[in-house]
Amino acid sequence: MTEHFDVIVVGAGISGVGAAWHLQDRSPDRSYLVLEGRERMGGTWDLFRYPGIRSDSDMYTLGFSFKPWTEAKAIADGPSILRYLEETVREFGIDKHIRYSHRLTRAEWSTAEARWTITVDKGGEEVRFTCAFLFMCTGYYNYAQGFAPEFAGAADFGGRIVHPQFWTPDIDYAGKRVVVIGSGATAVTLVPEMAKAAAHVTMLQRSPTYIVSRPAEDRFANWLRKVLPAKAAYGVVRWRNVLLQQFFFRIARKKPEKFKERIINMVREELPDHDVGTHFTPSYNPWDQRLCLVPDSDLFAALRSGKADVETGTIERFTPAGIKLASGKELEADIIVTATGLELQLMSDVPFAVDGKPIIWAEHTMYKGMMFSDVPNMAISFGYTNASWTLKSDLTAAYVTRLLNAMGKRRLRQVTPRVAAPVEPMPFLDFTSGYVQRAMAKFPRQGTRKPWRLNQNYTRDIMALKFGGIDEEMEFSNPEPGAVRAA
Ligand SMILES: Cc1cc2nc3c(=O)[nH]c(=O)nc-3n(C[C@H](O)[C@H](O)[C@H](O)COP(=O)(O)OP(=O)(O)OC[C@H]3O[C@@H](n4cnc5c(N)ncnc54)[C@H](O)[C@@H]3O)c2cc1C
């Protein structure tokens, strides 16, 4: 028998849990189900197990709007974030709606029936569900594999090669020489953490990244929690952080040279004896790629201590003893960690079809950063690249409930974004990073004007999604059978 739900949410990470909360809070009459492909919830915060795994944005904005973050650390470790998510699903009874080991493999929309029929891999068995609205909360990268460039001579290396996405507890690096390849958020997390036990850690990067230190604990927030109720304190700190982040982002875009100089000078103060020009001065402007945040200067402290160092250069090949650089220099290693990044992926590459026609996402334009032109009754949760993911996923979920409630009131079963006037296409994301550029050809585009433009700005999105209209270039159609008879 095929089970039917009003809404099916796919994915039980931050976005899926937030979506579930909004559905039951704002659209309580609708039935919903959360399908999670893995055996556990948490998504990113359960999958990644490498040493030191932590957020790189503050938990006052990475946390949900409806559940205060009350731990002392604002830059939190992975297990604490996972605990917060587990607590959320228990506290709000969301856990009863999640089915684990249910991986979506196919989705087909039928206008005649006004529903999606989805195929799900339930631990090897193929099962089907139907739903009126499909809410994709599957994150933005491939869970099955990370980005792993092929290095010449990798098979010759005598030690162990590890990708951080697949870290296992048996990886023992105590007293070992480690080379971490990469300069992104994962590399700057791994290096100081591994340096605590390893004999030595080298961060080997092809090119530098902007690195900024912030206190792990937010003293103002911790004080405010003592004098105000948790919810009020959380709201104040959340807004302060949103506005500060937007302020700094705007300055970085308006005065890139000045902003760049300020960041580099801060690194110089941290590392007076290092070659900051070579290792910490990127060729691009701040926010052309994601900035890396380190808590309490931990990376700089590891570098100052001599337990870690940084090398900037191109890999020629792996050797039995380590890595040979194009400069001729050799780095000896027992363990090589390839922190070379994620493979960006939209909706876990599941094939979609509308009335029998397969969807090619690159031919569709994103609507308000959550739906797609000509694709009915489907939304995706995709967070900000320049601020905490949850800020946007929260607004997206709230907007979806607005749409659902409007459909209910109007007795219309279908909502489809339709481009009503010419819209210039733009890439979905404008980061220059390799992992973004590699993926963009398969991604939908955004447009240069409303409502097809991705705002990447929380306050602008609040105005558009919370207070703005829902009819802009949105077609409400497909009357309920009863409504047709009544008319
Ligand atoms: C190491 C790391 C650190 C990060 N730190 C930050 C940070 O500090 N701040 C920030 O804003 N962002 C950060 N991010 C981005 C981060 O992924 C998001 O903030 C957030 O966790 C995304 O939540 P999500 O629920 O949308 O996606 P995910 O956490 O990726 O969860 C998606 C869920 O969907 C499930 N799923 C996928 N495909 C299917 C399918 N076909 N069928 C059923 N289930 C499926 C997955 O199993 C998973 O449980 C980080 C990412 C990484 C990798």
Side-chain angles (χ1 to χ4, degrees), residues 146-151 163 338 340-341:
F147 176 64
E150 276 193 19
F151 293 109
H163 194 287
T338 53
T340 42

Side-chain angles (χ1 to χ4, degrees), residues 9-17 35-38 40-45 47-48 50 53-59 61-62 81 85 102-105 120 136-141 143 185-186 290 342 345 347-350 381-384 387-390 393:
V9 175
V10 186
I14 287 183
S15 300
V17 172
L35 297 178
E36 169 51 55
R38 302 176 70 239
R40 291 180 304 273
M41 59 159 301
T44 298
W45 303 105
L47 177 75
F48 281 83
Y50 59 75
I53 170 74
R54 59 164 171 80
S55 68
D56 62 358
S57 48
D58 68 276
M59 288 307 298
T61 53
L62 189 59
I81 301 174
L85 291 173
H102 277 63
R103 193 168 56 82
L104 176 73
T105 55
V120 169
M136 298 296 291
C137 297
T138 46
Y140 64 102
Y141 59 86
Y143 268 65
T186 302
R290 225 182 140 100
L342 305 164
Q345 196 179 56
M347 294 184 276
S348 68
D349 235 5
V350 165
S381 190
F382 204 100
Y384 295 123
S388 282
W389 181 276
T390 318
S393 69

